[in-house]
Amino acid sequence: MPVGASVPSDLAARLSAIDERIADAARAAGRSPAEITRIVVTKFHPASLVRDLHALGVHAVGENRQQELTAKETELAGLDLEWHFIGQGQTNKASAIRRSADVVHSVDRDRFADALHRAAVDDDVLDVLVQVNLTEDEGRGGVAPASAVALAEHVLTLPSLRLRGVMAVAPLDEEPTAAFDRLRRIADDVRSVAHEATWISAGMTGDFAEAIAAGATHLRIGSAITGPRPARG
């Protein structure tokens, strides 16, 4: 898409560069770039930047915080955007998250899944992923790998939620290839009970090539596209 005068050229250049790297990594893994969804994470950036991204053809946008998700989705309601909530979900914010998100990547316990289900309106169905903790730190977000299938089975009992797959963040102290290979095996286990749960949300700026090689379908890319996050007042 041609860059309009109102869209910063550096933003367009960063987006194009990342998309080229994603395409190269996909082809190196014997995959089609069309299989991969690039989610631009706009944490702490203003809604105006999301508007610029949309003008460049971006459709999928990710947010970590419910308040920011709600504010941006409300302000940009007229745009064709798919909002991905990728932060830690609190049960008392589940209703607000559900009102604004098209996809929730961070279902990590039964209670949060139940809260999202209770927040359903009419017959709407929310796409969700089971977040898996690939570290030894129980305080990190995500269900333990051994419990991922049980959580998936619980989600399947909630008719207003549609289980799409799994999500994880690679540990800082482990090679991403090994971590994402483990996630791929967990994803296979989840698919054994939920055959249509084919999404793997994994990979950020520093490790998306390894994630693609391990089968990632959704990448979460932030500042490499958006630029440095604004200072918070």
Side-chain angles (χ1 to χ4, degrees):
M1 172 181 293
V3 180
S6 63
V7 178
S9 60
D10 56 342
L11 178 64
R14 289 192 298 266
L15 179 65
S16 178
I18 286 292
D19 283 349
E20 288 180 12
R21 290 173 57 195
I22 290 171
D24 289 345
R27 287 189 286 266
R31 301 178 60 194
S32 167
E35 300 174 13
I36 298 164
T37 298
R38 175 255 297 125
I39 301 165
V40 182
V41 181
T42 59
K43 180 179 180 181
F44 301 145
H45 287 279
S48 59
L49 181 128
V50 181
R51 194 179 297 277
D52 289 341
L53 288 165
H54 179 265
L56 293 169
V58 169
H59 178 62
V61 179
E63 290 294 339
N64 293 69
R65 299 166 66 247
Q66 175 269 313
Q67 297 93 328
E68 201 168 352
L69 168 71
T70 298
K72 289 179 185 173
E73 189 275 335
T74 299
E75 182 173 344
L76 302 172
L79 300 183
D80 178 25
L81 291 167
E82 182 178 78
W83 293 94
H84 294 250
F85 182 73
I86 60 177
Q88 291 310 113
Q90 300 176 30
T91 55
N92 64 342
K93 296 184 178 180
S95 181
I97 292 169
R98 176 151 196 164
R99 283 195 300 271
S100 297
D102 297 293
V103 186
V104 175
H105 290 234
S106 48
V107 174
D108 60 356
R109 58 200 186 281
D110 290 358
R111 288 184 62 236
F112 185 47
D114 292 341
L116 288 172
H117 173 61
R118 287 194 301 270
V121 176
D122 298 326
D123 296 324
D124 70 310
V125 176
L126 177 68
D127 288 336
V128 301
L129 296 94
V130 166
Q131 182 179 358
V132 181
N133 183 358
L134 296 177
T135 76
E136 298 296 325
D137 181 0
E138 295 181 0
R140 294 287 297 272
V143 66
S147 301
V149 170
L151 177 54
E153 290 175 329
H154 181 76
V155 171
L156 292 174
T157 69
L158 305 173
S160 79
L161 303 184
R162 177 166 47 214
L163 181 61
R164 286 297 200 175
V166 299
M167 183 271 259
V169 177
L172 295 176
D173 59 352
E174 180 181 2
E175 286 296 321
T177 296
F180 292 142
D181 283 346
R182 288 192 286 122
L183 180 63
R184 179 60 182 265
R185 292 194 293 272
I186 296 166
D188 290 342
D189 291 341
V190 168
R191 275 197 298 274
S192 72
V193 299
H195 304 303
E196 297 181 355
T198 58
W199 295 6
I200 300 177
S201 172
M204 298 185 289
T205 300
D207 56 23
F208 67 73
E210 292 88 347
I212 289 171
T217 61
H218 291 66
L219 312 175
R220 309 180 304 273
I221 312 293
S223 57
I225 294 173
T226 63
R229 291 172 180 161
R232 299 178 67 191

